[in-house]
Amino acid sequence: KQLLLLRSGGDVLDNETQPSNDADSIDANGDDNDSETKSRKMYNKQASNWVRTEPRCLSDFTGRPVVFGMLEDVLNAQHDGSDSKGKVVLDIGCGEGYCARKVIEMGASKVIGSDISKEMIACALSTADGDDDRFKYYESAAGELLKGLNDNRDFLGIDSAEGAFDVAIAVFLFNYLTTNEMEEVILQAFQALKPGGTFIFSVPHPSMIFCHDKGAIFRLDSENKGYYSSRNEKITGIISTIDGTTLNIMSVHKTLSDYITAIFSSGFEIVDIQEAGVTEEHMILHPEFFESVKDRPLHLVFKLKKPY
């Protein structure tokens, strides 16, 4: 079995095929109407700033560990003697491969990553061991999930995208997509999973639209924006790293109902929902860093199951 990561269009990249370094530039408040185009340009420009081998970004401490915690029972199930080859995991939105490396560490047998940003893919390739067949990466738009998998199935080592995977994850992907785009990706993830498969995804908490304090290390440019009236509006913002670097982000605002509707319309069942934020352990670790965002919900993490 294999672990598959995707973020978002088309050319296969292996460790011998590195993309060029001509990163597109974009102002964080640019005029791009296409959310995919804006995301691609944003991450091509700042891809190297995201590269890390240990927790560095705020959400590495507050969000991704919740995702990994929800994965533990799923990935550990492979060690009961009935499934010695490990799990096939689809990660829709691999970025520079941070989560891919973590799930391999947790026991997954293979990760195939795809991202809309060629520069993110280049970073993922440079961080992975060159001859490690557990890691494969290629560019793919999230909305073309099944097409991208099937077009590249020989390279990826799969027979067909449909029903091929045990687990799928999408870590902070859907905040870059509209509600309709998100619904389409969730439906395709459902189709890519085997019956009984697990899908875990994380997003900024919908209440973050009210978090625009200028001194906060995670904030949106959302002053005077409404919770309902701003649905599907692209809102820029920043998130900081523990070493003081500021990273540009974008959040296409959605309500809690938007997520629930998309989940149930795809056929998934909800196993768990967790609100993630700063914990007491975080405050002991680095109180100055976490102070500005303590005692507020920062992320939502969903664990879903495809019925048998």
Side-chain angles (χ1 to χ4, degrees):
K1 293 183 178 179
Q2 307 171 45
L3 172 67
L4 175 69
L5 275 91
L6 278 93
R7 180 187 183 107
S8 185
D11 296 330
V12 171
L13 300 174
D14 56 27
N15 290 334
E16 288 74 44
T17 309
Q18 296 286 351
S20 64
N21 294 320
D22 57 335
D24 297 315
S25 63
I26 185 172
D27 188 306
N29 297 298
D31 296 327
D32 296 82
N33 292 319
D34 182 345
S35 57
E36 285 190 351
T37 299
K38 188 167 186 177
S39 299
R40 180 184 294 111
K41 289 183 177 181
M42 179 182 291
Y43 280 97
N44 278 344
K45 183 177 181 180
Q46 61 174 358
S48 61
N49 291 336
W50 284 92
V51 177
R52 70 273 195 210
T53 56
E54 58 186 20
R56 176 171 171 261
C57 175
L58 171 66
S59 51
D60 291 342
F61 297 95
T62 55
R64 289 175 182 83
V66 179
V67 173
F68 301 145
M70 288 185 177
L71 278 169
E72 283 183 353
D73 65 326
V74 180
L75 294 180
N76 288 340
Q78 66 183 297
H79 301 304
D80 63 2
S82 62
D83 187 4
S84 60
K85 294 184 178 180
K87 297 292 182 181
V88 183
V89 181
L90 170 65
D91 180 352
I92 310 168
C94 66
E96 52 78 56
Y98 181 86
C99 292
R101 296 186 292 274
K102 179 64 178 179
V103 293
I104 288 290
E105 178 185 317
M106 293 175 67
S109 62
K110 188 172 182 178
V111 53
I112 302 170
S114 170
D115 198 283
I116 197 170
S117 165
K118 65 182 180 182
E119 297 299 334
M120 282 291 202
I121 293 294
C123 291
L125 287 167
S126 67
T127 308
D129 292 333
D131 59 352
D132 193 336
D133 286 340
R134 295 176 300 173
F135 297 94
K136 288 185 180 292
Y137 298 100
Y138 73 104
E139 289 183 60
S140 177
E144 298 180 347
L145 178 59
L146 296 178
K147 181 179 185 301
L149 290 171
N150 283 321
D151 285 351
N152 297 293
R153 59 183 178 271
D154 290 341
F155 170 73
L156 300 176
I158 59 175
D159 295 326
S160 173
E162 291 79 0
F165 309 105
D166 301 290
V167 182
I169 63 175
V171 181
F172 299 112
L173 167 71
F174 293 144
N175 44 297
Y176 293 92
L177 305 180
T178 65
T179 300
N180 288 340
E181 290 168 341
M182 176 184 69
E183 290 174 345
E184 178 60 29
V185 174
I186 292 177
L187 178 60
Q188 291 189 50
F190 182 90
Q191 294 172 307
L193 284 170
K194 298 175 181 178
T198 298
F199 181 32
I200 298 171
F201 71 86
S202 61
V203 293
H205 198 285
S207 68
M208 280 299 299
I209 195 169
F210 302 120
C211 299
H212 42 70
D213 304 337
K214 295 303 181 184
I217 59 173
F218 180 23
R219 63 182 184 270
L220 298 177
D221 303 319
S222 55
E223 193 169 359
N224 299 320
K225 294 188 182 297
Y227 182 79
Y228 296 106
S229 59
S230 297
R231 288 178 68 243
N232 286 318
E233 184 174 343
K234 301 179 186 70
I235 303 173
T236 55
I238 64 98
I239 193 167
S240 297
T241 67
I242 203 162
D243 59 8
T245 302
T246 298
L247 302 169
N248 293 325
I249 59 171
M250 183 177 71
S251 181
V252 181
H253 177 64
K254 300 171 189 68
T255 67
L256 177 59
S257 295
D258 290 331
Y259 295 113
I260 300 299
T261 298
I263 290 168
F264 286 137
S265 65
S266 68
F268 276 114
E269 299 173 348
I270 296 177
V271 177
D272 192 11
I273 303 175
Q274 292 189 31
E275 294 178 303
V278 174
T279 65
E280 292 182 3
E281 289 77 12
H282 294 141
M283 293 303 296
I284 294 171
L285 174 69
H286 202 313
E288 296 84 4
F289 179 65
F290 295 108
E291 176 69 29
S292 66
V293 290
K294 70 177 184 180
D295 199 24
R296 73 170 54 163
L298 302 177
H299 326 288
L300 272 181
V301 186
F302 295 83
K303 183 175 185 177
L304 315 178
K305 182 175 182 178
K306 179 177 179 176
Y308 286 98

